[in-house]
Amino acid sequence: MSSSLFCFVKVGSFCVCKIKDVRNGSGNTIMQILIYNNHHMEVNLESRDDMLCGPPTTTCQESIRPFIESFEETPMLVAVLTYMGYGILTIFGYLRDFLRDWKIERCHIAREREEQRDFVPLYQDFENFYTRNLYMRIRDSWNRPICSVPGAKMDLVERVSPDYNWTFDYTGKVVEGVINMGSYNYLGFAENTGYCADASAEVTMKYGVGVASTRQEMGNLDRHEEMEELVAKFLGVESAMAFGMGFATNSMNIPALTGKGCLILSDELNHASLVLGARLSGSTIRVFKHNNMQSLEKMLRDAIVHGQPRTHRPWKKILILVEGIYSMEGSIVRLPEVIALKKRYRAYLYLDEAHSIGALGPGGRGVVDYFGLDPRDVDVMMGTFTKSFGAAGGYIGGRKELMEYLRSHSHSAVYAASMSPPVVEQIIASMKCIMGEDGTTLGRDRVQQLAENTLYFRRKLTEMGFIIYGNNDSPVVPMMLYMPAKIGAFGREMLKRNIGVVVVGFPATPIIESRARFCISAAHTKDMLDTVTIPPMLGTKWLPFSHQRHKQPVPPLSSLSSP
């Protein structure tokens, strides 16, 4: 990091602010920080005067730690070696396919029988090339069976493979006390003891496990009604409704909101559920660069000026799809700027808070709370109960008219079975904890503990020299591995040390950006985080190319303000 550039910018008619552009030794911008009064948030220097965030809220007068995100460019040597690694794997893959065709090597993959060769093939053989020749080498790093509560520590069923990961045999042994760094248990509510577990057990005895009907028929319980009222109160919106599956909340509700003649502007790193929902809607889809306000504004401007293709008629609706926290990058949406653009061009905003609800903001109310914004500025607030709440399902919140429309037009509301009563009670109990309605400070303490654990863990990794992506306040911490051989090696070596991690590679990430993804929890203790970040644990000796070239600045723990 060699230079910093400050300049003054007028934010609309609101106030004068300054932008700090932090650059590395190569002159590349690593991060941007917008500072007005004592309020910090990220901006881009190319943003014009009047397209930045809305008027300062009361939080502007408070001391809030900087909104800093880091995405360091892949080192050239690492990129070259990564491509070479994939190239070598591809060459050996073709060689092994040749040996399989000539019956020299045993073939484990499913194939059509000889008498079916003249039929239309069920799949193209090349489509399975990556699966059988690359994925199978590291398949043991995924789908590990767990035989305990996925809390801060967990127990795994031990398994071995006699045929290089094509099949697995269970040894009957259990690997106990594995530090869980992969589950989305942000607030530690995935537990089998305590207030939430006791409440769920009591409801199970009264209502049973299943409802055996849809909400519109005989499956609408009083607990469902109470849950939705509580969700609306928690979000600060007029009304809310819940669904039994988080993925279906996106994929089945977006088609009910938009259709032919509508335009969807989607962030390039949006989750698969958002992508599927957009495709099922029949709307025109255009993708803007990740968290890039210039790209989004250009698409909005073009949509207004040119209208629909060929006819040039105005679009019926323009819907912007973004996420609160992006689960692979650890980045946080630049929501103030998105809302400003949405208002200027009169578009609608759909915010997916699957990872941010409960995990961000002084009150755990997500990215809207994190920025101190008005929930009414977001047209559709979506989130899931599977992460911070330790339950299952998803929700949508917004205006009462919108909820009434979805109740009769959403496939997931009309045709899906009702949520299980103990799951509903888990949601109610955990949400009351976060809101403080259980008569304790347990929820508030967990939100604060998660923020402290996140900052502490990110600072430790940065000080060790690893390249980590995302926002300093994001509990999703991607650590770059790059090379394909490191994906499996890192996962196996960490498990040998009783640490469970999630490793991710192509096609879930760009081909040269394989990574390990840590998910921080309020249930993690400082000793656990220290154990994970001990140099021999992270394998610094056999991960020589994961060290960053330029140190990323991380604020000290003393900068962490109380919510």
Side-chain angles (χ1 to χ4, degrees):
M1 197 106 26
S2 62
S3 62
S4 299
L5 175 63
F6 287 87
C7 60
F8 286 88
V9 179
K10 183 175 177 57
V11 184
S13 59
F14 305 127
C15 62
V16 175
C17 65
K18 60 182 178 180
I19 296 176
K20 179 181 179 182
D21 185 14
V22 184
R23 308 185 181 209
N24 59 25
S26 303
N28 298 321
T29 299
I30 292 182
M31 68 199 72
Q32 300 86 32
I33 310 171
L34 168 64
I35 308 171
Y36 59 86
N37 295 338
N38 289 320
H39 189 59
H40 304 65
M41 65 182 63
E42 178 199 24
V43 300
N44 191 299
L45 281 174
E46 297 178 1
S47 300
R48 293 195 313 278
D49 293 354
D50 52 357
M51 70 165 285
L52 299 180
C53 47
T57 63
T58 56
T59 57
C60 293
Q61 307 301 328
E62 302 173 1
S63 177
I64 300 180
R65 59 188 180 277
F67 180 90
I68 302 174
E69 292 191 342
S70 304
F71 299 94
E72 185 170 343
E73 184 181 356
T74 304
M76 179 59 69
L77 177 61
V78 173
V80 171
L81 292 176
T82 301
Y83 281 123
M84 288 177 59
Y86 277 105
I88 293 171
L89 286 172
T90 302
I91 293 172
F92 274 90
Y94 280 115
L95 175 60
R96 296 186 70 181
D97 280 352
F98 174 79
L99 297 178
R100 292 177 185 127
D101 288 339
W102 286 88
K103 313 298 182 183
I104 299 174
E105 180 179 332
R106 183 179 176 184
C107 181
H108 297 274
I109 60 175
R111 291 189 175 185
E112 289 87 359
R113 290 175 293 184
E114 289 296 329
E115 59 268 24
Q116 296 176 323
R117 289 299 177 94
D118 294 333
F119 296 177
V120 176
L122 296 177
Y123 61 90
Q124 295 297 325
D125 192 56
F126 182 76
E127 292 178 0
N128 256 352
F129 180 86
Y130 182 88
T131 300
R132 64 178 178 265
N133 292 308
L134 282 78
Y135 169 72
M136 280 299 169
R137 293 175 176 269
I138 53 178
R139 183 175 171 228
D140 58 305
S141 298
W142 293 282
N143 306 316
R144 292 168 177 158
I146 299 173
C147 56
S148 69
V149 173
K153 287 189 175 183
M154 59 185 177
D155 299 335
L156 299 180
V157 178
E158 187 179 72
R159 62 180 183 178
V160 294
S161 177
D163 51 8
Y164 302 101
N165 296 335
W166 286 97
T167 61
F168 292 101
D169 296 330
Y170 297 104
T171 64
K173 299 179 181 179
V174 174
V175 183
E176 298 181 347
V178 178
I179 299 177
N180 183 3
M181 299 299 297
S183 296
Y184 305 128
N185 186 25
Y186 296 132
L187 295 181
F189 283 116
E191 52 193 358
N192 55 4
T193 59
Y195 169 71
C196 297
D198 293 342
S200 297
E202 183 179 344
V203 166
T204 302
M205 297 303 295
K206 180 179 179 180
Y207 291 89
V209 175
V211 182
S213 181
T214 66
R215 291 284 299 275
Q216 291 193 351
E217 295 171 342
M218 299 294 292
N220 190 29
L221 304 179
D222 56 343
R223 308 306 290 170
H224 292 132
E225 299 284 349
E226 180 182 347
M227 174 185 61
E228 291 180 342
E229 291 177 4
L230 187 65
V231 170
K233 180 180 178 182
F234 181 68
L235 297 177
V237 296
E238 294 179 7
S239 182
M241 59 186 300
F243 307 88
M245 182 181 179
F247 191 98
T249 305
N250 279 332
S251 60
M252 292 290 100
N253 283 291
I254 294 176
L257 297 173
T258 64
K260 188 176 181 180
C262 299
L263 173 66
I264 292 178
L265 300 181
S266 177
D267 190 289
E268 65 179 346
L269 297 183
N270 274 342
H271 189 264
S273 60
L274 290 169
V275 175
L276 178 61
R279 291 175 177 174
L280 291 176
S281 70
S283 305
T284 300
I285 305 171
R286 292 174 185 168
V287 179
F288 62 91
K289 296 179 181 179
H290 175 56
N291 247 353
N292 189 310
M293 298 302 104
Q294 287 69 49
S295 176
L296 174 59
E297 186 183 24
K298 183 179 185 302
M299 290 187 178
L300 284 168
R301 189 189 303 115
D302 290 345
I304 298 297
V305 172
H306 301 294
Q308 300 183 42
R310 294 189 297 273
T311 64
H312 299 292
R313 293 177 180 174
W315 295 100
K316 295 178 181 178
K317 296 177 188 173
I318 300 179
L319 181 65
I320 302 172
L321 300 183
V322 293
E323 294 186 47
I325 292 179
Y326 292 85
S327 59
M328 283 298 171
E329 305 299 316
S331 56
I332 297 176
V333 65
R334 296 160 67 165
L335 190 60
E337 298 176 65
V338 175
I339 289 178
L341 289 175
K342 165 241 175 186
K343 289 182 175 179
R344 168 184 287 183
Y345 295 98
R346 299 189 179 184
Y348 295 96
L349 176 58
Y350 186 108
L351 175 62
D352 180 348
E353 293 218 70
H355 287 268
S356 55
I357 192 68
L360 286 181
R365 288 174 167 84
V367 70
V368 176
D369 185 29
Y370 176 79
F371 285 109
L373 302 174
D374 189 345
R376 292 173 295 182
D377 288 336
V378 180
D379 300 289
V380 185
M381 297 185 69
M382 177 272 173
T384 63
F385 304 119
T386 55
K387 300 168 180 68
S388 293
F389 303 97
Y395 67 82
I396 283 183
R399 297 179 59 187
K400 187 175 181 179
E401 296 83 357
L402 173 63
M403 297 303 105
E404 293 301 322
Y405 172 82
L406 289 177
R407 291 184 199 281
S408 58
H409 289 79
S410 168
H411 289 289
S412 55
V414 176
Y415 301 109
S418 298
M419 295 178 68
S420 175
V423 173
V424 172
E425 191 62 27
Q426 169 71 20
I427 297 167
I428 293 174
S430 58
M431 193 168 291
K432 284 184 176 179
C433 281
I434 299 173
M435 298 171 69
E437 293 188 2
D438 62 334
T440 70
T441 61
L442 175 64
R444 184 182 182 91
D445 293 343
R446 291 193 181 192
V447 172
Q448 174 67 9
Q449 187 62 52
L450 174 63
E452 293 178 1
N453 286 352
T454 297
L455 188 61
Y456 180 78
F457 189 75
R458 281 182 169 271
R459 188 186 68 168
K460 292 278 286 187
L461 289 183
T462 302
E463 289 175 349
M464 293 174 68
F466 290 105
I467 299 177
I468 59 173
Y469 274 9
N471 192 285
N472 279 349
D473 296 325
S474 169
V476 179
V477 186
M479 188 184 79
M480 306 311 294
L481 301 176
Y482 297 116
M483 301 179 193
K486 292 181 182 177
I487 300 174
F490 187 81
R492 295 176 191 130
E493 290 298 321
M494 292 292 277
L495 186 58
K496 287 179 182 178
R497 295 157 171 81
N498 254 32
I499 301 171
V501 299
V502 173
V503 287
V504 190
F506 180 82
T509 67
I511 195 168
I512 61 172
E513 293 185 7
S514 300
R515 64 199 66 181
R517 185 182 63 180
F518 299 98
C519 290
I520 309 303
S521 171
H524 287 140
T525 64
K526 183 175 178 294
D527 289 340
M528 292 179 188
L529 299 180
D530 286 340
T531 299
V532 175
T533 53
I534 293 175
M537 294 297 186
L538 284 178
T540 52
K541 292 184 179 179
W542 51 274
L543 288 177
F545 298 107
S546 293
H547 294 277
Q548 50 185 351
R549 299 161 293 162
H550 309 287
K551 293 290 184 180
Q552 303 172 18
V554 177
L557 290 177
S558 59
S559 68
L560 188 64
S561 58
S562 299

